[in-house]
Amino acid sequence: KQEVTQIPAALSVPEGENLVLNCSFTDSAIYNLQWFRQDPGKGLTSLLLIQSSQREQTSGRLNASLDKSSGRSTLYIAASQPGDSATYLCATHYGGSQGNLIFGKGTKLSVKP
Amino acid sequence: DTEVTQTPKHLVMGMTNKKSLKCEQHMGHRAMYWYKQKAKKPPELMFVYSYEKLSINESVPSRFSPECPNSSLLNLHLHALQPEDSALYLCASSQGHLAGAGETQYFGPGTRLLVL
């Protein structure tokens, strides 16, 4: 059974710092990995999706990497801003059936002004 | 329109009530999903509809009854819920063209449900 782990559970950084969020998964037989952002009490916003054949994806200040063989992904946020404060969730799309998205518990990020 | 909308935003109901959650998308997506998210936990998949047919039911109790009346609309009918069913209910959609393969899922803002 696929398990997704995110470390750290919480992270507090000063504004302007570059930071890395980690995600690991136990079964490398994934179709893709998706990073989401969730603000308190809100839905999920898709940030980046990396297909299993890809190594990384970039969007603005965000860069996500995927090492399928080692079961790891990282989300790099450059020049962090207070508006980046949120919970970041990674999820693997796993298995042969549609919709089988397995989530990690998330990393709660706080960027201090 | 790249938005998934959900109504209502908040819902309080008693254990004997019957209520419904509604989800709508106009992106032409043919796969729609219901997730349940408890406080400080990740979302958990409940149901998947593909081309208006139920394709996955993750052993959800029968007091939750999904319905997909057309390709743009997904409902979740609630009856005789328990207090432990209180959670954020999230709807998502994806293109639905890649059978068995991953697609970007687009999430709505959720309905926060409180069962008294």
Side-chain angles (χ1 to χ4, degrees):
Chain A
K1 181 185 174 185
Q2 178 75 289
E3 290 183 7
V4 180
T5 303
Q6 291 187 247
I7 294 173
L11 180 64
S12 182
V13 300
E15 182 177 3
E17 207 167 275
N18 302 326
L19 58 100
V20 174
L21 307 181
N22 296 293
C23 172
S24 62
F25 46 94
T26 55
D27 193 326
S28 61
I30 63 170
Y31 288 105
N32 59 44
L33 185 143
Q34 198 166 353
W35 281 94
F36 294 90
R37 168 189 172 136
Q38 187 171 32
D39 293 288
K42 305 290 186 183
L44 277 68
T45 300
S46 180
L47 298 173
L48 290 163
L49 181 143
I50 313 176
Q51 299 292 352
S52 63
S53 58
Q54 296 175 320
R55 297 283 293 180
E56 66 179 298
Q57 282 285 331
T58 298
S59 176
R61 294 183 293 108
L62 305 180
N63 176 277
S65 68
L66 175 64
D67 184 342
K68 205 173 87 158
S69 61
S70 67
R72 293 180 182 176
S73 176
T74 61
L75 179 67
Y76 174 82
I77 302 177
S80 58
Q81 303 171 357
D84 295 329
S85 299
T87 295
Y88 290 81
L89 294 155
C90 76
T92 61
H93 209 128
Y94 170 76
S97 58
Q98 237 176 345
N100 208 353
L101 205 55
I102 308 296
F103 285 85
K105 292 184 178 180
T107 293
K108 186 174 182 180
L109 174 66
S110 176
V111 181
K112 308 284 188 195
Chain B
D1 186 358
T2 58
E3 196 179 16
V4 176
T5 60
Q6 289 187 243
T7 54
K9 290 184 179 179
H10 302 276
L11 179 62
V12 179
M13 61 186 290
M15 289 189 284
T16 59
N17 292 157
K18 283 185 182 181
K19 297 286 184 183
S20 296
L21 309 184
K22 179 180 170 181
C23 172
E24 203 161 2
Q25 56 86 17
H26 296 287
M27 295 179 276
H29 289 174
R30 302 309 296 271
M32 296 185 77
Y33 313 79
W34 280 115
Y35 288 84
K36 173 181 177 179
Q37 187 178 24
K38 301 280 282 183
K40 298 186 180 181
K41 299 284 188 184
E44 294 180 342
L45 184 67
M46 299 174 72
F47 302 105
V48 181
Y49 271 83
S50 179
Y51 289 81
E52 294 93 70
K53 287 185 169 44
L54 183 65
S55 61
I56 294 178
N57 176 341
E58 292 286 350
S59 303
V60 179
S62 60
R63 57 186 184 268
F64 295 91
S65 175
E67 179 198 19
C68 190
N70 61 58
S71 60
S72 301
L73 191 55
L74 184 66
N75 297 320
L76 185 63
H77 302 298
L78 314 173
H79 174 52
L81 294 194
Q82 304 296 311
E84 59 264 28
D85 296 321
S86 298
L88 181 68
Y89 288 84
L90 294 163
C91 173
S93 71
S94 68
Q95 285 187 330
H97 298 158
L98 304 174
E103 299 175 329
T104 300
Q105 293 188 18
Y106 297 87
F107 282 77
T111 293
R112 186 159 297 282
L113 174 67
L114 177 61
V115 182
L116 300 176

